[in-house]
Amino acid sequence: MDPLGRDTTYQCITFLTDYGLEDGFVAACHGVAARLAPHVRVMDITHLVPPGDVRRGAAVLAQTVPYMPPGVHVAVVDPGVGTARRGIAVAGAGGVFVGPDNGLLSWAARGLTAGGLHPHIVGVPGNGEVRAFELANPKLWLEPVSATFHGRDIFTPVAAQLACGLDIEQVGPEVEAESLVTLPTPMRRVQNGGAEGEVLSVDRFGNVQMSLTLADLDLLGARIGGALMVALGVTPRIQGNAQHAPQRRRTFTVPYRETFGSVAPGELVAYADSAGCLALAVNSGDAAQRLGLPPGARIRISVAE
């Protein structure tokens, strides 16, 4: 049993990183996992998180893990590698999460999505609760440890041994869950006939996922086949190491439909995406580029008259 009282039979090791696919970083981690846990299935979530984009990695991890078998989830988007930032193993929703203590694991470990606990997590023992341990036992690491490749030398070997039944308490001392770096919960509120939120993520197609949910739209009385009034705000947001310029204030109407093909090629459409979030897309185009909407940008939605 793990610290949250669950069976510790893990069916997989998953990987999410910003390593890309051009170099040998991913293969090296796979190799370490295969050597230490040859009978455990290795599954890739993605290795194409934009470099250093902790928030994007956190969103993808949180939205993907609920569909994975119980596992040990390695996530490495780690601009602070080699510094004083901690490495951690967190027993939480969906298994054990291994990676840097920089907020990357914070949403997924608690089973959180934009609308609260993920529906596939509700009812799972320990949902929303975590226990965390600092990776401080060098006997579990590869030697020598590279100052810039903890994914290979610390996170993956620890994860592989956990997947093989290592007691999580052996990785190092327990730390207070409240001391973990936690990303702020994405802003969302419904009031005064509108819903205010922020851009949660932008995928490779340029589809803009917002922190607003289908439930928020229902509260507004929005219906498929109608239209939404979209107002883009002016608040600058910090993303990674760069501050995006303030958005130009503008308002427009967009059809609210079930899918991209419900509008003509090149037209904007609002829809509920596969994570249950409101999203903006351009049929056969890039909505983020057209609208100038980076992650963190503020947005207000209301039902068009």
Side-chain angles (χ1 to χ4, degrees), residues 19-250:
Y19 290 161
L21 299 174
E22 297 87 354
D23 304 295
F25 304 131
V26 174
C29 293
H30 278 218
V32 171
R35 289 171 56 194
L36 295 176
H39 304 299
V40 180
R41 184 180 184 185
V42 173
M43 303 175 69
D44 291 308
I45 294 176
T46 183
H47 298 289
L48 299 178
V49 174
D53 192 341
V54 173
R55 192 171 185 271
R56 168 69 174 163
V60 173
L61 188 67
Q63 293 175 18
T64 305
V65 163
Y67 299 95
M68 294 290 181
V72 182
H73 309 291
V74 181
V76 191
V77 180
D78 193 14
V81 63
T83 69
R85 71 95 183 92
R86 295 182 295 193
I88 52 174
V90 183
V96 173
F97 298 81
V98 178
D101 182 20
N102 63 2
L104 178 64
L105 313 178
S106 60
W107 292 343
R110 290 174 169 81
L112 297 177
T113 64
L117 282 174
H118 193 284
H120 286 201
I121 296 296
V122 174
V124 175
N127 61 13
E129 302 174 6
V130 301
R131 288 187 66 187
F133 299 81
E134 183 174 1
L135 305 186
N137 182 356
K139 294 180 180 179
L140 304 177
W141 308 346
L142 297 189
E143 291 290 348
V145 173
S146 166
T148 59
F149 202 177
H150 289 184
R152 179 194 65 192
D153 296 338
I154 297 178
F155 301 143
T156 297
V158 169
Q161 291 170 83
L162 288 169
C164 289
L166 177 75
D167 188 328
I168 194 173
E169 295 183 355
Q170 297 303 307
V171 307
E174 185 167 6
V175 298
E176 294 290 335
E178 293 75 17
S179 74
L180 299 178
V181 176
T182 301
L183 295 183
T185 301
M187 191 279 289
R188 55 186 283 264
R189 59 174 176 257
V190 179
Q191 62 181 15
N192 302 324
E196 297 181 12
E198 62 183 85
V199 175
L200 184 60
S201 184
V202 175
D203 68 20
R204 66 184 300 269
F205 300 103
N207 301 325
V208 178
Q209 181 187 65
M210 287 174 273
S211 59
L212 301 173
T213 67
L214 187 58
D216 297 328
L217 293 180
D218 289 342
L219 287 175
L220 293 180
R223 298 291 180 263
I224 296 292
L228 301 176
M229 182 70 69
V230 179
L232 305 184
V234 294
T235 305
R237 293 298 301 267
I238 302 297
Q239 185 65 26
N241 295 320
Q243 179 171 325
H244 295 284
Q247 296 168 252
R248 180 166 54 87
R249 187 186 299 275
R250 58 199 191 278

Side-chain angles (χ1 to χ4, degrees), residues 6-22:
R6 304 168 304 192
D7 188 346
T8 53
T9 302
Y10 297 120
Q11 300 175 22
C12 65
I13 299 171
T14 74
F15 284 96
L16 175 146
T17 76
D18 61 353
Y19 290 161
L21 299 174
E22 297 87 354

